[in-house]
């Protein structure tokens, strides 16, 4: 779960984005009310047989004014950690899941080096408050997605559309990861530090067309490989035609990472256009005839294994930090779970270091620009009463969790 998508009533840059009419799906509002119901959610996860619970800390709650920390907010997350531990759920803590405090973009934006210190301070305070039981950290959620949406197409906050700003923002986000990792390690002995990276399958729209195939390799290189290079070698050079290049060097990054988190959902089909302005088009398709998800994504576990192999080339333990689908009627989720867990077993059989699987998501949540339409939950949310009810596929999750999935995460292994 991520804070903004479930907690409710958390004024931040996204709230302002919604009020300015920049989302398609309306406001987040009370969300799933998890700020008051986290313990209930934790109990539901435990009753599904989960042994881990991923959540994110709202920076805007914890530091509503620059340098002024809200102890009650920190304490609230600390209580959640205690409860998770008591329930046998490993807390997996994310520090940046897309939203920022209202002051952030004006005072210490990601395009400035001041962002790194600001984030490190927030990380240090949070790590100290959450204490020794919070050992598993996915510091940043999908930094590249944030950079592309927030700094290159300007579709999400802060709404900038500039390739040079995007390149700078990525560099500072990675520096912030490194600085935060040092703070967390100082505060939490034995902490395992990771990142959650969105990895996407790409396929040529016309299987034999050399231009479509070339586009696939450019897209894979840019979207999937950039962070692997950054965390593997401490340098990256990513090209997005026609004019965008992100390049940088952070030699300390590899040592700041203990495991690599993979968020996997779907696959895009690419077609070369080459008409000057647009190099290519991309779309979700359903060549395997499984039916698209409610938000139009292909269900394609076949694309998962190659991406896990690619991620494993980093040489670090892998954790699947997100995988799921929008399926309000719950007609596809059980099979989706079975397919993807079978891929994990195949990955493990060939020696890939997959250490765990976190399903996205426990409860229906606010889907950013798409609002409340897509329903990702194993638990269905009643938007009026905020009551949760298990969808039938929760039974499949429970069965899988009692076997293959019920194993320890990287932070518990040999540390
Ligand atoms: C994001 C989640 C989101 C999910 C489904 C991921 O990329 O981290 O916040 O809910 O995709 O859209």
């Amino acid at each position: 779960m991520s804070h903004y998508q479930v907690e409710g009533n958390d004024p931040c840059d996204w709230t302002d984005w919604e009020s300015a009419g920049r989302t398609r799906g309306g406001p987040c509002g009370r969300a799933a009310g998890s700020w008051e119901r986290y313990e209930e959610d934790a109990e539901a996860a435990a009753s599904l047989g989960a042994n881990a619970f991923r959540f994110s800390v709202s920076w805007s709650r914890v530091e509503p004014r620059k340098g002024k920390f809200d102890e009650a907010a920190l304490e609230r997350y600390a209580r959640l950690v205690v409860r998770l531990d008591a329930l046998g759920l490993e807390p997996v803590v994310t520090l940046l899941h897309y939203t920022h405090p209202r002051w952030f973009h004006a005072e210490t934006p990601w395009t400035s080096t001041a962002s790194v210190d600001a984030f490190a301070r927030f990380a240090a305070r949070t790590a100290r408050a959450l204490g020794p039981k919070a050992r598993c950290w996915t510091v940043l959620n999908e930094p590249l997605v944030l950079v592309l949406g927030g700094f290159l197409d300007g579709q999400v906050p802060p709404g900038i559309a500039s390739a040079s700003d995007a390149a700078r923002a990525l560099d500072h986000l990675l520096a912030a990861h490194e600085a935060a990792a040092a703070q967390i390690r100082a505060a939490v002995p034995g902490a395992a530090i990771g990142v959650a990276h969105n990895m996407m399958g790409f396929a040529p729209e016309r299987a034999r067309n050399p231009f479509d195939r070339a586009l696939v390799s450019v897209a894979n290189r840019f979207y999937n490989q950039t962070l692997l290079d950054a965390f593997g070698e401490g340098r990256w050079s990513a090209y997005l035609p026609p004019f965008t290049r992100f390049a940088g060097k952070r030699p300390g990054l590899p040592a700041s990472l203990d495991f690599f988190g993979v968020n996997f959902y779907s696959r895009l089909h690419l077609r070369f256009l080459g008409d000057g302005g647009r190099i290519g088009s991309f779309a979700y398709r359903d060549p395997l005839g499984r039916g698209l998800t409610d938000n139009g994504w292909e269900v394609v576990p076949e694309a998962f294994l190659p991406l896990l192999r690619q991620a494993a080339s980093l040489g670090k333990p892998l954790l699947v930090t997100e995988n799921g689908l929008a399926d309000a009627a719950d007609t596809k989720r059980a099979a989706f779970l079975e397919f993807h867990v079978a891929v994990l077993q195949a990955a493990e059989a060939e020696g890939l270091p997959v250490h765990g699987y976190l399903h996205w998501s426990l409860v229906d949540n606010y889907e950013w620009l798409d609002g409340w339409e897509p329903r990702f939950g194993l638990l269905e949310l009643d938007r009026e009463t905020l009551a949760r009810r298990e969808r039938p596929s929760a039974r499949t999750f429970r069965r899988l969790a009692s076997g293959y999935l019920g194993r320890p995460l990287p932070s518990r292994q040999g540390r």
Side-chain angles (χ1 to χ4, degrees):
M1 315 219 284
S2 99
H3 66 279
Y4 193 71
Q5 295 179 271
V6 296
E7 286 179 356
N9 306 318
D10 176 12
C12 64
D13 57 348
W14 259 89
T15 333
D16 296 340
W17 201 248
E18 292 159 14
S19 327
R22 304 290 300 268
T23 61
R24 297 182 286 271
C28 176
R30 309 186 288 167
S34 291
W35 187 243
E36 291 83 22
R37 289 169 185 75
Y38 266 136
E39 282 69 18
E40 187 188 322
D41 291 339
E43 276 148 34
S47 94
L48 291 177
N51 62 359
F53 187 99
R54 180 172 175 224
F55 69 96
S56 61
V57 173
S58 164
W59 191 356
S60 37
R61 286 192 195 276
V62 164
E63 194 180 355
R65 282 179 299 136
K66 184 166 169 253
K68 301 271 177 278
F69 287 86
D70 181 333
E71 295 303 330
L74 285 165
E75 169 56 27
R76 204 275 166 262
Y77 289 114
R79 277 204 314 278
L80 171 60
V81 167
V82 168
R83 187 73 192 122
L84 293 174
D85 184 66
L87 289 165
L89 295 162
E90 177 86 44
V92 180
V93 188
T94 297
L95 284 176
L96 191 76
H97 200 124
Y98 296 164
T99 75
H100 302 81
R102 280 182 159 142
W103 51 266
F104 177 80
H105 302 299
E107 299 199 38
T108 61
W110 286 120
T111 46
S112 81
T113 51
S115 57
V116 179
D117 296 338
F119 188 71
R121 204 176 48 224
F122 160 58
R125 282 297 280 262
T126 305
R128 283 203 299 274
L130 265 48
K133 290 186 160 59
R135 284 165 300 201
C136 197
W137 296 74
T138 44
V139 176
L140 304 177
N141 182 68
E142 303 186 348
L144 190 61
V145 173
L146 173 63
V147 164
L148 295 178
F151 296 85
L152 197 65
D153 7 302
Q155 293 301 307
V156 303
I160 293 170
S162 146
S164 57
D165 282 347
R168 250 194 306 280
L170 180 62
D171 183 32
H172 293 142
L173 277 158
L174 296 175
H177 163 96
E178 196 181 325
Q183 297 293 344
I184 296 165
R185 284 176 176 159
V188 183
I193 308 291
V195 62
H197 177 39
N198 187 286
M199 295 190 79
M200 176 69 86
F202 294 107
E205 176 94 50
R206 296 161 295 185
R208 274 191 261 281
N209 183 294
F211 296 104
D212 291 5
R213 293 165 74 102
L215 215 51
V216 164
S217 98
V218 169
N220 179 56
R221 179 89 205 61
F222 178 83
Y223 194 83
N224 293 323
Q225 189 62 35
T226 301
L227 283 201
L228 289 166
D229 289 348
F231 283 101
E233 294 157 26
R235 59 170 72 230
W236 61 98
S237 174
Y239 172 57
L240 182 65
F243 304 122
T244 306
R245 181 175 291 285
F246 300 159
K249 211 166 38 181
R250 292 272 164 201
L253 261 186
S256 73
L257 196 83
D258 299 307
F259 69 92
F260 194 80
V262 175
N263 293 356
F264 171 72
Y265 287 93
S266 189
R267 168 167 80 169
L268 283 169
H269 295 256
L270 308 183
R271 184 186 191 92
F272 180 76
L273 300 174
D275 67 358
R278 282 178 77 205
I279 298 284
S281 65
F282 52 89
Y284 294 104
R285 306 270 181 230
D286 186 23
L288 303 168
R290 297 196 177 112
L292 299 172
T293 67
D294 292 352
N295 56 347
W297 295 356
E298 183 183 4
V299 175
V300 60
E302 291 82 353
F304 194 17
L305 188 56
L307 291 171
L308 290 172
R309 289 189 188 120
Q310 190 171 342
S313 67
L314 191 60
K316 308 260 183 187
L318 302 180
L319 179 64
V320 177
T321 33
E322 289 181 28
N323 173 245
L325 76 168
D327 178 21
D330 205 43
T331 53
K332 299 188 175 69
R333 191 171 283 102
F336 182 99
L337 273 162
E338 303 264 12
F339 283 154
H340 287 80
V341 168
V343 171
L344 295 181
Q345 286 172 306
E348 206 172 313
E350 65 177 67
L352 304 185
V354 181
H355 287 259
Y357 172 90
L358 295 159
H359 189 72
W360 193 271
S361 192
L362 179 66
V363 184
D364 289 339
N365 63 18
Y366 176 70
E367 263 301 308
W368 307 113
L369 295 174
D370 291 332
W372 285 98
E373 201 59 31
R375 297 298 188 117
F376 276 82
L378 288 166
L379 307 183
E380 181 181 2
L381 178 74
D382 180 324
R383 293 263 292 129
E384 287 304 310
T385 63
L386 301 183
R388 286 93 160 113
R389 199 183 55 199
E390 281 188 18
R391 289 201 161 94
S393 58
R395 281 201 297 276
T396 303
F397 182 91
R398 194 175 271 119
R399 177 168 49 73
L400 294 167
S402 70
Y404 176 77
L405 292 179
R407 297 162 323 144
L409 297 191
S411 54
R412 289 236 168 117
Q413 291 179 347
R415 302 187 64 85

